[in-house]
Amino acid sequence: MTPLVIIFLILLVLSGVGMIIFILMHSGKGTGISDMIASSMYSTQTGTSIIEKNLDRVTIICAAVFLISLLVLMIVYPHGTING
């Protein structure tokens, strides 16, 4: 494996785990995990909207990194070219 492949594999794993964590932190229609973890941070309505906007941005960035690293790995290793 080349260093480029190792870097993109690490980015793929980290962004995938990050997406899972940040998606679980979003509050849904009721209460979410984010309300359980950081309920003291949600004291005002404006604070909640700012936190949710930042959480949306981080989630979108993780998804973009995941997608780009996945596409690069698909180009580097087309179907059937990985040798043990």
Side-chain angles (χ1 to χ4, degrees), residues 41-54:
M41 293 174 59
Y42 295 139
S43 59
T44 63
Q45 186 65 15
T46 57
T48 301
S49 64
I50 292 172
I51 291 173
E52 286 292 326
K53 285 181 184 177
N54 289 335

Side-chain angles (χ1 to χ4, degrees), residues 20-70:
I20 291 170
I21 291 170
F22 291 126
I23 288 172
L24 285 175
M25 287 180 68
H26 281 278
S27 59
K29 293 180 182 177
T31 57
I33 292 179
S34 61
D35 292 333
M36 285 190 326
I37 294 172
S39 61
S40 64
M41 293 174 59
Y42 295 139
S43 59
T44 63
Q45 186 65 15
T46 57
T48 301
S49 64
I50 292 172
I51 291 173
E52 286 292 326
K53 285 181 184 177
N54 289 335
L55 197 56
D56 289 340
R57 288 181 187 132
V58 172
T59 305
I60 290 170
I61 290 170
C62 280
V65 169
F66 184 83
L67 182 66
I68 291 169
S69 60
L70 186 64

